Amino acid sequence: MENKKRTLREDARLIARGIGIWRTILPGYAAYLIPACLVSCALPYFPLYLSAELVNELSGGRDMRRLLILAAVTVTGTFLLSVLSRFLSGRLEASRRMFGVRHEAYLFDAENTFQYEHLEDPDVALMRSRILTNMNTSYSGLMVLLMIAENSFRNILELIVSASLTLSLFRRAQGDYTGFFAFVNSPWIVPVLIAFLAADAVVSFQASVRANNKYQDIVSELAKQNRMGRAYRNAKGVDMQIFKLNEVAIADYKKWKIRPEWVARNEKADLAYTLESKPTKLLLQIVLFWFTAAKAFLGVIGIGNFILYQGTLQRFLNAVSALVFNFGRLRYNNQYVEEVFRYLDLPNAMYKGSLAVEKRDDIEYEIEFRDVSFQYPRSTEWVLRHVNLKFQIGKNLAIVGENGSGKTTLMKLLCRLYDPTEGKILLNGIDITRYRYDEYMGLFSVVFQDYALFAFSVARNVAVSDPVDERHVWDCLNRVGIGDKIAGLDQGIHTSIGRDYENDSVDFSGGEQQKIALARALYKDAPFMILDEPTAALDPIAEAEIYARFHETVKDKTSVFISHRLSSCKFCDEIAVFDQGQLVQKGSHDTLLADENGKYYELWNAQAQYYVK
Ligand code: ADP
């Protein structure tokens, strides 16, 4: 992935938007984050501050009672703080563990509103897999943003605390100091120190940008290898055994390693960062040490405070470096964050109207394709050309034609997965784009050829939505003729499908799975039922039987049966014949077959051999 140059403002926007998303991905995280940061920040300062007081007391008043109290408060306070800190960081850790799953769920959620064409676009699929691989192998993207932003928050807190504990160092000392010690009360000391500090921040930042650009991203190099490994993980057990794929896989896995040149490159980048960023820091430290030591020498501050300031100043400087370095890392990580947002922001150009779809008990809906032509995105080929077609309500329509003649595409247009390139589709005389999208989609129940069952229970596969109406599930299963089989299973409709996750689940045969998919279509109880060759894997006679049975069960609805096998659709009131994207014939089986010059006649005779029992 290229890491293009972004302006500071663009980077800040990405970071802010990324932080805004945590609340959705990890709700409740911030509730623990703020106290956890406060406690972990207080943890080192608490004993530091109190031991300075102890030393001051030891080298000053030497009041035994005060000494004992200070010692007791230091020990118990530190103990309690560390217990609290452990508890809070444990909570944060537990919450972070959920990040991977929640992150994926977040993507799923966004995909719900994607325009369908993105789901069929291989570039979009690649983008998604890159986002997930980056997340799962190196946490790059939103997770790194979360971790570094959290560290930066700690750095800022540390800055505030250490600066406030150090402020008293710059209080004006009593007495006049001239000559060598004149600088102790010089009004210039603070501006000079701030100038040094600013110079140090700039130098460190530039060094960190250079270092971040030089780092070899070992994790993403490994991710590339990891992606290759997935090819084996998808292999079936039986292939593994028969072709001894394991041996090839293991030999390949052994070749994948962290290369010494990657490590050397990172060590060089580290060294360069240290050499570039340390000199100004060292100078600053010398000036600060000199200033503090001079004050202690003159007795302006106690020995305990001298120790305290050494500690707080060091922590202050470290926090500045860490903040600067982390900012560089955040900017580097932004290339991954940007890709996540590019994915989430994929444009949805589909026009969504606001008309309500009339709910009609009499199912008086009428659909008309008016001079519809269509090209897929990124293609110049006309898949459908000048299609004019009306559906008679309450009847059934068959769409037949050879593979590739455009039947599925026609249904995708009907269901608004795509909009026509030219022409219109009308529902009760009104362009379908003008209806509310969700309501319009609610009119259709479709079983496509590549339907998928999930590794959940039969009930959830049929109902898809929650809560499950179990009686309705049984009714649908009975209507497609698989009720008895399911009733015979120990767990009935609660049996899981496939053996991926549950030991007591059942592997249903291809035909049984198709029936479950049909039951799902019935469960939705939509006015339009569409079967788009979910039975293609069956032999022609079995398909014809399933279609005929399904037709019996949905007699009250408008249904569309699609097949490249004419015999499956013989029973339909009306048959539309497609050829190379055009509607070439329409009529009942008998009238179509009577036309000896027609496509239907030609296809019927070509296929006839398969139907002779
Ligand atoms: P059928 O259902 O009659 O077998 P389809 O509607 O699936 O035919 O396909 C019609 C034509 O559209 C075919 O040439 C197919 O290659 C092409 N096609 C199908 N889906 C896509 C797509 N997503 N992008 C580009 N072309 C496609």
PDB file of all heavy atoms in Angstrom, residues 142-163:
ATOM      1  N   LEU A 142      -7.128   0.838  12.995  1.00  0.00           N
ATOM      2  CA  LEU A 142      -7.829   1.418  14.146  1.00  0.00           C
ATOM      3  C   LEU A 142      -7.269   0.953  15.487  1.00  0.00           C
ATOM      4  O   LEU A 142      -7.273   1.689  16.457  1.00  0.00           O
ATOM      5  CB  LEU A 142      -9.322   1.091  14.051  1.00  0.00           C
ATOM      6  CG  LEU A 142     -10.037   1.758  12.880  1.00  0.00           C
ATOM      7  CD1 LEU A 142     -11.495   1.322  12.823  1.00  0.00           C
ATOM      8  CD2 LEU A 142      -9.946   3.266  12.978  1.00  0.00           C
ATOM      9  N   MET A 143      -6.747  -0.297  15.538  1.00  0.00           N
ATOM     10  CA  MET A 143      -6.236  -0.805  16.823  1.00  0.00           C
ATOM     11  C   MET A 143      -4.945  -0.093  17.220  1.00  0.00           C
ATOM     12  O   MET A 143      -4.779   0.282  18.377  1.00  0.00           O
ATOM     13  CB  MET A 143      -6.007  -2.313  16.693  1.00  0.00           C
ATOM     14  CG  MET A 143      -5.472  -2.952  17.945  1.00  0.00           C
ATOM     15  SD  MET A 143      -6.761  -3.086  19.201  1.00  0.00           S
ATOM     16  CE  MET A 143      -5.887  -3.978  20.478  1.00  0.00           C
ATOM     17  N   VAL A 144      -4.021   0.091  16.260  1.00  0.00           N
ATOM     18  CA  VAL A 144      -2.783   0.814  16.576  1.00  0.00           C
ATOM     19  C   VAL A 144      -3.135   2.245  16.976  1.00  0.00           C
ATOM     20  O   VAL A 144      -2.574   2.794  17.925  1.00  0.00           O
ATOM     21  CB  VAL A 144      -1.808   0.779  15.369  1.00  0.00           C
ATOM     22  CG1 VAL A 144      -0.741   1.838  15.503  1.00  0.00           C
ATOM     23  CG2 VAL A 144      -1.168  -0.597  15.261  1.00  0.00           C
ATOM     24  N   LEU A 145      -4.098   2.804  16.267  1.00  0.00           N
ATOM     25  CA  LEU A 145      -4.545   4.157  16.611  1.00  0.00           C
ATOM     26  C   LEU A 145      -5.016   4.199  18.068  1.00  0.00           C
ATOM     27  O   LEU A 145      -4.641   5.075  18.837  1.00  0.00           O
ATOM     28  CB  LEU A 145      -5.673   4.567  15.664  1.00  0.00           C
ATOM     29  CG  LEU A 145      -6.339   5.906  15.956  1.00  0.00           C
ATOM     30  CD1 LEU A 145      -5.350   7.039  15.801  1.00  0.00           C
ATOM     31  CD2 LEU A 145      -7.508   6.139  15.027  1.00  0.00           C
ATOM     32  N   LEU A 146      -5.803   3.199  18.437  1.00  0.00           N
ATOM     33  CA  LEU A 146      -6.300   3.125  19.813  1.00  0.00           C
ATOM     34  C   LEU A 146      -5.145   3.058  20.805  1.00  0.00           C
ATOM     35  O   LEU A 146      -5.099   3.780  21.782  1.00  0.00           O
ATOM     36  CB  LEU A 146      -7.190   1.884  19.964  1.00  0.00           C
ATOM     37  CG  LEU A 146      -7.643   1.534  21.372  1.00  0.00           C
ATOM     38  CD1 LEU A 146      -8.993   2.166  21.642  1.00  0.00           C
ATOM     39  CD2 LEU A 146      -7.757   0.052  21.590  1.00  0.00           C
ATOM     40  N   MET A 147      -4.175   2.165  20.505  1.00  0.00           N
ATOM     41  CA  MET A 147      -3.098   1.955  21.469  1.00  0.00           C
ATOM     42  C   MET A 147      -2.196   3.188  21.573  1.00  0.00           C
ATOM     43  O   MET A 147      -1.812   3.602  22.660  1.00  0.00           O
ATOM     44  CB  MET A 147      -2.293   0.719  21.078  1.00  0.00           C
ATOM     45  CG  MET A 147      -3.141  -0.542  21.188  1.00  0.00           C
ATOM     46  SD  MET A 147      -2.220  -2.086  21.031  1.00  0.00           S
ATOM     47  CE  MET A 147      -1.631  -2.021  19.373  1.00  0.00           C
ATOM     48  N   ILE A 148      -1.862   3.780  20.413  1.00  0.00           N
ATOM     49  CA  ILE A 148      -0.929   4.919  20.472  1.00  0.00           C
ATOM     50  C   ILE A 148      -1.623   6.148  21.022  1.00  0.00           C
ATOM     51  O   ILE A 148      -1.041   6.908  21.785  1.00  0.00           O
ATOM     52  CB  ILE A 148      -0.318   5.225  19.090  1.00  0.00           C
ATOM     53  CG1 ILE A 148       0.340   3.965  18.552  1.00  0.00           C
ATOM     54  CG2 ILE A 148       0.726   6.326  19.208  1.00  0.00           C
ATOM     55  CD1 ILE A 148       1.061   4.161  17.280  1.00  0.00           C
ATOM     56  N   ALA A 149      -2.872   6.331  20.644  1.00  0.00           N
ATOM     57  CA  ALA A 149      -3.577   7.501  21.171  1.00  0.00           C
ATOM     58  C   ALA A 149      -3.694   7.378  22.692  1.00  0.00           C
ATOM     59  O   ALA A 149      -3.571   8.354  23.421  1.00  0.00           O
ATOM     60  CB  ALA A 149      -4.944   7.620  20.535  1.00  0.00           C
ATOM     61  N   GLU A 150      -3.894   6.146  23.163  1.00  0.00           N
ATOM     62  CA  GLU A 150      -3.970   5.924  24.602  1.00  0.00           C
ATOM     63  C   GLU A 150      -2.622   6.269  25.251  1.00  0.00           C
ATOM     64  O   GLU A 150      -2.577   6.950  26.278  1.00  0.00           O
ATOM     65  CB  GLU A 150      -4.326   4.451  24.839  1.00  0.00           C
ATOM     66  CG  GLU A 150      -4.480   4.119  26.291  1.00  0.00           C
ATOM     67  CD  GLU A 150      -4.831   2.644  26.489  1.00  0.00           C
ATOM     68  OE1 GLU A 150      -5.553   2.078  25.658  1.00  0.00           O
ATOM     69  OE2 GLU A 150      -4.354   2.088  27.491  1.00  0.00           O
ATOM     70  N   ASN A 151      -1.527   5.813  24.625  1.00  0.00           N
ATOM     71  CA  ASN A 151      -0.202   6.147  25.153  1.00  0.00           C
ATOM     72  C   ASN A 151       0.019   7.648  25.152  1.00  0.00           C
ATOM     73  O   ASN A 151       0.576   8.198  26.100  1.00  0.00           O
ATOM     74  CB  ASN A 151       0.895   5.501  24.302  1.00  0.00           C
ATOM     75  CG  ASN A 151       1.024   4.032  24.634  1.00  0.00           C
ATOM     76  OD1 ASN A 151       0.556   3.590  25.680  1.00  0.00           O
ATOM     77  ND2 ASN A 151       1.635   3.277  23.751  1.00  0.00           N
ATOM     78  N   SER A 152      -0.435   8.304  24.081  1.00  0.00           N
ATOM     79  CA  SER A 152      -0.225   9.746  23.999  1.00  0.00           C
ATOM     80  C   SER A 152      -0.999  10.462  25.106  1.00  0.00           C
ATOM     81  O   SER A 152      -0.525  11.438  25.672  1.00  0.00           O
ATOM     82  CB  SER A 152      -0.679  10.285  22.644  1.00  0.00           C
ATOM     83  OG  SER A 152      -0.007   9.593  21.630  1.00  0.00           O
ATOM     84  N   PHE A 153      -2.174   9.926  25.398  1.00  0.00           N
ATOM     85  CA  PHE A 153      -2.970  10.502  26.479  1.00  0.00           C
ATOM     86  C   PHE A 153      -2.201  10.378  27.804  1.00  0.00           C
ATOM     87  O   PHE A 153      -2.126  11.316  28.595  1.00  0.00           O
ATOM     88  CB  PHE A 153      -4.309   9.764  26.538  1.00  0.00           C
ATOM     89  CG  PHE A 153      -5.234  10.259  27.596  1.00  0.00           C
ATOM     90  CD1 PHE A 153      -5.636  11.587  27.616  1.00  0.00           C
ATOM     91  CD2 PHE A 153      -5.708   9.401  28.583  1.00  0.00           C
ATOM     92  CE1 PHE A 153      -6.495  12.044  28.604  1.00  0.00           C
ATOM     93  CE2 PHE A 153      -6.563   9.858  29.567  1.00  0.00           C
ATOM     94  CZ  PHE A 153      -6.960  11.182  29.583  1.00  0.00           C
ATOM     95  N   ARG A 154      -1.580   9.198  28.002  1.00  0.00           N
ATOM     96  CA  ARG A 154      -0.765   9.015  29.207  1.00  0.00           C
ATOM     97  C   ARG A 154       0.406   9.989  29.201  1.00  0.00           C
ATOM     98  O   ARG A 154       0.755  10.567  30.234  1.00  0.00           O
ATOM     99  CB  ARG A 154      -0.198   7.589  29.272  1.00  0.00           C
ATOM    100  CG  ARG A 154      -1.250   6.548  29.597  1.00  0.00           C
ATOM    101  CD  ARG A 154      -0.652   5.146  29.524  1.00  0.00           C
ATOM    102  NE  ARG A 154      -1.696   4.162  29.384  1.00  0.00           N
ATOM    103  CZ  ARG A 154      -2.299   3.567  30.425  1.00  0.00           C
ATOM    104  NH1 ARG A 154      -1.936   3.855  31.645  1.00  0.00           N
ATOM    105  NH2 ARG A 154      -3.268   2.699  30.219  1.00  0.00           N
ATOM    106  N   ASN A 155       1.048  10.165  28.035  1.00  0.00           N
ATOM    107  CA  ASN A 155       2.180  11.093  27.926  1.00  0.00           C
ATOM    108  C   ASN A 155       1.759  12.499  28.329  1.00  0.00           C
ATOM    109  O   ASN A 155       2.483  13.198  29.042  1.00  0.00           O
ATOM    110  CB  ASN A 155       2.713  11.157  26.493  1.00  0.00           C
ATOM    111  CG  ASN A 155       3.279   9.831  25.999  1.00  0.00           C
ATOM    112  OD1 ASN A 155       3.227   9.537  24.821  1.00  0.00           O
ATOM    113  ND2 ASN A 155       3.798   9.022  26.908  1.00  0.00           N
ATOM    114  N   ILE A 156       0.582  12.903  27.863  1.00  0.00           N
ATOM    115  CA  ILE A 156       0.130  14.273  28.152  1.00  0.00           C
ATOM    116  C   ILE A 156      -0.113  14.443  29.646  1.00  0.00           C
ATOM    117  O   ILE A 156       0.297  15.428  30.263  1.00  0.00           O
ATOM    118  CB  ILE A 156      -1.143  14.608  27.343  1.00  0.00           C
ATOM    119  CG1 ILE A 156      -0.775  14.674  25.860  1.00  0.00           C
ATOM    120  CG2 ILE A 156      -1.766  15.911  27.792  1.00  0.00           C
ATOM    121  CD1 ILE A 156      -1.951  14.799  24.918  1.00  0.00           C
ATOM    122  N   LEU A 157      -0.759  13.415  30.244  1.00  0.00           N
ATOM    123  CA  LEU A 157      -0.990  13.470  31.691  1.00  0.00           C
ATOM    124  C   LEU A 157       0.335  13.579  32.430  1.00  0.00           C
ATOM    125  O   LEU A 157       0.498  14.373  33.358  1.00  0.00           O
ATOM    126  CB  LEU A 157      -1.684  12.191  32.149  1.00  0.00           C
ATOM    127  CG  LEU A 157      -3.194  12.194  32.168  1.00  0.00           C
ATOM    128  CD1 LEU A 157      -3.683  10.855  32.695  1.00  0.00           C
ATOM    129  CD2 LEU A 157      -3.694  13.310  33.080  1.00  0.00           C
ATOM    130  N   GLU A 158       1.282  12.775  31.989  1.00  0.00           N
ATOM    131  CA  GLU A 158       2.602  12.753  32.620  1.00  0.00           C
ATOM    132  C   GLU A 158       3.266  14.123  32.504  1.00  0.00           C
ATOM    133  O   GLU A 158       3.882  14.615  33.453  1.00  0.00           O
ATOM    134  CB  GLU A 158       3.464  11.690  31.930  1.00  0.00           C
ATOM    135  CG  GLU A 158       4.837  11.561  32.505  1.00  0.00           C
ATOM    136  CD  GLU A 158       5.145  10.132  32.920  1.00  0.00           C
ATOM    137  OE1 GLU A 158       4.356   9.226  32.595  1.00  0.00           O
ATOM    138  OE2 GLU A 158       6.158   9.925  33.576  1.00  0.00           O
ATOM    139  N   LEU A 159       3.094  14.743  31.342  1.00  0.00           N
ATOM    140  CA  LEU A 159       3.635  16.086  31.132  1.00  0.00           C
ATOM    141  C   LEU A 159       3.058  17.058  32.151  1.00  0.00           C
ATOM    142  O   LEU A 159       3.785  17.825  32.772  1.00  0.00           O
ATOM    143  CB  LEU A 159       3.238  16.592  29.741  1.00  0.00           C
ATOM    144  CG  LEU A 159       4.141  16.291  28.570  1.00  0.00           C
ATOM    145  CD1 LEU A 159       3.621  16.987  27.321  1.00  0.00           C
ATOM    146  CD2 LEU A 159       5.532  16.812  28.884  1.00  0.00           C
ATOM    147  N   ILE A 160       1.722  16.971  32.294  1.00  0.00           N
ATOM    148  CA  ILE A 160       1.064  17.924  33.202  1.00  0.00           C
ATOM    149  C   ILE A 160       1.545  17.709  34.638  1.00  0.00           C
ATOM    150  O   ILE A 160       1.931  18.643  35.340  1.00  0.00           O
ATOM    151  CB  ILE A 160      -0.475  17.779  33.114  1.00  0.00           C
ATOM    152  CG1 ILE A 160      -0.926  18.144  31.699  1.00  0.00           C
ATOM    153  CG2 ILE A 160      -1.169  18.622  34.151  1.00  0.00           C
ATOM    154  CD1 ILE A 160      -2.375  17.854  31.413  1.00  0.00           C
ATOM    155  N   VAL A 161       1.556  16.430  35.068  1.00  0.00           N
ATOM    156  CA  VAL A 161       1.926  16.147  36.462  1.00  0.00           C
ATOM    157  C   VAL A 161       3.378  16.524  36.710  1.00  0.00           C
ATOM    158  O   VAL A 161       3.707  17.211  37.685  1.00  0.00           O
ATOM    159  CB  VAL A 161       1.684  14.663  36.799  1.00  0.00           C
ATOM    160  CG1 VAL A 161       2.158  14.347  38.203  1.00  0.00           C
ATOM    161  CG2 VAL A 161       0.214  14.332  36.648  1.00  0.00           C
ATOM    162  N   SER A 162       4.283  16.095  35.815  1.00  0.00           N
ATOM    163  CA  SER A 162       5.703  16.365  36.080  1.00  0.00           C
ATOM    164  C   SER A 162       5.971  17.867  36.010  1.00  0.00           C
ATOM    165  O   SER A 162       6.736  18.400  36.806  1.00  0.00           O
ATOM    166  CB  SER A 162       6.596  15.589  35.113  1.00  0.00           C
ATOM    167  OG  SER A 162       6.264  15.900  33.791  1.00  0.00           O
ATOM    168  N   ALA A 163       5.286  18.566  35.086  1.00  0.00           N
ATOM    169  CA  ALA A 163       5.502  20.006  34.998  1.00  0.00           C
ATOM    170  C   ALA A 163       5.011  20.683  36.272  1.00  0.00           C
ATOM    171  O   ALA A 163       5.697  21.547  36.826  1.00  0.00           O
ATOM    172  CB  ALA A 163       4.786  20.574  33.786  1.00  0.00           C
TER     173      ALA A 163
END
